[in-house]
């Protein structure tokens, strides 16, 4: 899986500014074939802050039925992209890719808050993840956004 915001590729642990991630990224699936389908989940596991993430995961995006060897634009957006807006500390924003057992209807979660990637995968019979990548982001100062 290759995740790119404009020209910035996402690498584990690299920092991106919230102003760089305002539009949904290009997510390319580099495995499988056109008969293999994938589900993409993007979450923030550090809500409200990394030192005390008692709200755990906040859901930012879900795309299902992405054919192998294509990108997420060919899938079905179940939960639309929400711009990362960390308030306290440095947050991780995680992309997890699951291989689907078949083309399927995925039930959207009732809320973006207190989301569980593991629970979502179990509820929709997705199995273990096949790829994952994350970036770090923190609140930008007004001077940085100019």
């Amino acid at each position: 899986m290759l995740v790119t915001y404009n020209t910035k590729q996402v690498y584990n642990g690299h920092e991106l500014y919230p102003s760089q991630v305002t539009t949904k990224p290009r997510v390319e699936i580099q495995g499988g074939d056109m008969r293999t389908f994938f589900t993409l989940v993007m979450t923030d596991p550090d809500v409200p802050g990394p030192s005390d993430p008692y709200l755990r995961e906040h859901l930012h995006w879900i795309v299902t039925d992405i054919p192998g060897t294509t990108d997420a634009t060919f899938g079905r957006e179940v939960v639309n992209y929400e711009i990362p807006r960390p308030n306290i500390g440095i947050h991780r924003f995680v992309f997890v890719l699951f291989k689907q057992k078949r083309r399927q209807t995925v039930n959207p979660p009732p809320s973006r808050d207190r989301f569980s990637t593991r629970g979502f995968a179990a509820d929709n019979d997705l199995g273990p993840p096949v790829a994952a990548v994350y970036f770090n982001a923190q609140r930008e100062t007004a001077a940085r956004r100019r």
Side-chain angles (χ1 to χ4, degrees):
M1 172 174 63
L2 184 66
V3 180
T4 311
Y5 283 96
N6 296 319
T7 60
K8 298 260 187 214
Q9 185 175 341
V10 173
Y11 293 103
N12 285 337
H14 283 211
E15 185 167 356
L16 294 174
Y17 294 108
S19 60
Q20 294 174 304
V21 296
T22 57
T23 58
K24 63 178 100 168
R26 179 176 172 85
V27 180
E28 297 174 63
I29 311 302
Q30 300 174 320
D33 56 38
M34 294 297 284
R35 293 180 308 266
T36 309
F37 295 96
F38 296 88
T39 292
L40 173 72
V41 176
M42 177 187 176
T43 68
D44 174 358
D46 299 319
V47 178
S51 60
D52 186 19
Y54 65 90
L55 295 176
R56 280 291 166 216
E57 289 182 87
H58 179 80
L59 178 62
H60 281 270
W61 197 27
I62 295 178
V63 183
T64 65
D65 294 332
I66 307 166
T69 71
T70 67
D71 64 66
T73 60
F74 290 90
R76 189 172 68 86
E77 195 173 58
V78 176
V79 175
N80 61 333
Y81 181 76
E82 182 180 273
I83 300 167
R85 290 192 179 100
N87 284 325
I88 305 165
I90 299 170
H91 288 240
R92 295 166 294 165
F93 292 90
V94 183
F95 296 88
V96 183
L97 188 70
F98 297 92
K99 184 177 178 182
Q100 296 174 202
K101 295 178 180 171
R102 64 199 168 287
R103 199 167 190 156
Q104 64 191 71
T105 302
V106 170
N107 298 317
S111 171
R112 289 180 186 261
D113 296 321
R114 298 181 190 260
F115 179 77
S116 167
T117 300
R118 183 175 287 147
F120 174 78
D123 292 347
N124 290 284
D125 196 26
L126 293 175
V130 295
V133 68
Y134 77 96
F135 67 90
N136 294 328
Q138 60 185 312
R139 188 176 186 167
E140 283 181 89
T141 62
R144 170 68 189 112
R145 285 192 296 265
R146 283 189 219 140

